[in-house]
Structure formats: C-alpha cells, structure tokens
Amino acid sequence: MSSSPAMNDQMREKIISQPDVILEDQDLMRALIAANERAMGGNIVDLRGIAMERLEARLARLEDTHRSVIAAAYENLSGTNQVHRAVLRMLDPTDFETFLRDLGGEVADILRVDCVKLVLETVQDDEDPAVRKLGDVLSVAEPGFIEDYLTAGRPGQPRQVTLRQLSEGDARIYGARAQFIRSEACLMLDFGKGRLPGMLAMGAEDPHQFSPQQGTDLLAFFTGVFERAMRRWLS
C-alpha cells in the first residue's frame, strides 16, 4: 500500500506554509475532528475531542453574552441621547403655553411616545378658559387623584417613575386616545413645598414600550429636569 499523500504538492505546501488558515476555520476543524474520531473507532473515548466541544460551547455562550452586552450598551446610549435631546428642546420655549405645546409635540416625537399628558392636581374647574386652551396636553384632577392612580388604590407611597402595561389607557388622562394606549410611563412631579403634586404621563400604543422590568434611571433624570422647569413657570 502506498503511503504517499493523497493531495497534490501545491495544496500541501500551502497548508504547511499557512496552517492558521485551517485552525481558524471552524467548519474545517470540525470536519477534521470528526474524521479523526471515525478513524479511532467507536470504542475509544477521545478526551481531547470532548474538551474541545466544551470549549466551543463555552466560546459560543461568551460570544452571545458579548453581543448582548454590546446591544444593551447601544440601546442605553441611544436612550440617553433621546432624553438629552428632549431636555434641550424642553428648555427652549420662553413662554409657558409654548412649553406645554412642545411637550405634546416635538418632545413627544423625540421620546417616540404617542401621547404626553401633564396632570395637575388643583381645585380649579377644568372648564376654566386657560385649562381648556391647553387641553391637548394639560389635564386637571382633584387633590389625591395622582397617588390613587399610581398605586391603583393599594397602600404605600407611589414611586417617582412607574412603568406598566395596560389593556387600555385611562380616559381621564388620555381622553379620546385612551383606547389606543397599551403601555405608559408615569412620572410623579414634586413642585415644591406648599404645592400640590403633578404627573407627567407618557402613553404608547406599543404594549412593550414600557414595562416594569425596564430601568428607570433616564426617566428619573428627565423627571428632575421637568420638575425644575415647571417650578420656574409656577413661580
């Protein structure tokens, strides 16, 4: 039987000169390992082959984790940029009416939400001309409404940022658009000592846009900026 190689000299010399080409090709390495196992027979346990399979599985998990971390970092950076752009746009207006209208317009577009409503607790009648003029963005409610809404009547203090999914939005907040709202972010607002609280409600038609499992750091930052801007107008 001849022991001469079964490949031509040119291919053999190329492999010898560049062995990394084979080592870096996962499919080729698997084929070589499989051929080696067949040559050894079924009664021999190849510990090196088992170790390599485990290392390949571990490498695959590390690659998946790496991709997940990069995706999460990119998403976080994208969210940070969105909030920063929204804050800058929110600080542009020089009068309160424009400030509120931008809130339901360009600011909502930047944050990619379908509806933004500012809810203020007050004893003022919602038929007041000033309230009716800004009715697209501004809603008024009786004292205690916001805490009840955020806690759903359960005991305990409401969180600064509440994220949740809905079967339908509350018409008292979202009006005619309530039937389309499937998730919301509710930002509780503190306007300072001696003033009733407020709430900024962001409604989305996508049921997965806001959920309790999501982080709230960026929205907490946005809440702090919005509170300070509102205190300036209220003063």
Side-chain angles (χ1 to χ4, degrees), residues 133-147:
K133 186 177 181 181
L134 299 171
D136 290 341
V137 180
L138 179 63
S139 296
V140 297
E142 68 279 5
F145 169 82
I146 292 173
E147 183 173 337

Side-chain angles (χ1 to χ4, degrees), residues 57-101:
R58 183 179 298 177
L59 178 61
R61 289 196 299 270
L62 287 174
E63 288 177 343
D64 289 342
T65 302
H66 182 64
R67 284 192 290 267
S68 298
V69 170
I70 291 176
Y74 179 80
E75 185 176 351
N76 186 61
L77 179 61
S78 177
T80 300
N81 289 336
Q82 272 184 289
V83 169
H84 286 174
R85 287 169 52 214
V87 166
L88 290 175
R89 187 68 188 91
M90 193 170 61
L91 296 178
D92 279 343
T94 56
D95 63 89
F96 187 57
E97 184 176 341
T98 304
F99 171 78
L100 286 185
R101 294 199 184 284

Side-chain angles (χ1 to χ4, degrees), residues 122-192:
T122 179
V123 294
Q124 188 176 9
D125 187 356
D126 61 3
E127 293 299 320
D128 183 275
V131 174
R132 290 177 62 86
K133 186 177 181 181
L134 299 171
D136 290 341
V137 180
L138 179 63
S139 296
V140 297
E142 68 279 5
F145 169 82
I146 292 173
E147 183 173 337
D148 288 341
Y149 181 75
L150 293 177
T151 61
R154 293 188 295 269
Q157 291 296 316
R159 296 186 295 272
Q160 183 186 36
V161 178
T162 299
L163 306 180
R164 57 192 177 192
Q165 295 168 306
L166 308 167
S167 58
E168 186 175 304
D170 193 313
R172 294 172 295 178
I173 295 176
Y174 299 107
R177 302 193 65 177
Q179 59 180 319
F180 304 109
I181 301 301
R182 293 295 179 266
S183 64
E184 67 177 358
C186 299
L187 317 181
M188 189 169 185
L189 307 171
D190 180 2
F191 297 133

Side-chain angles (χ1 to χ4, degrees), residues 28-45:
L28 186 53
M29 287 299 297
R30 289 193 187 98
L32 291 173
I33 293 170
N36 182 59
E37 290 176 350
R38 287 194 299 271
M40 290 169 56
N43 295 325
I44 298 176
V45 177

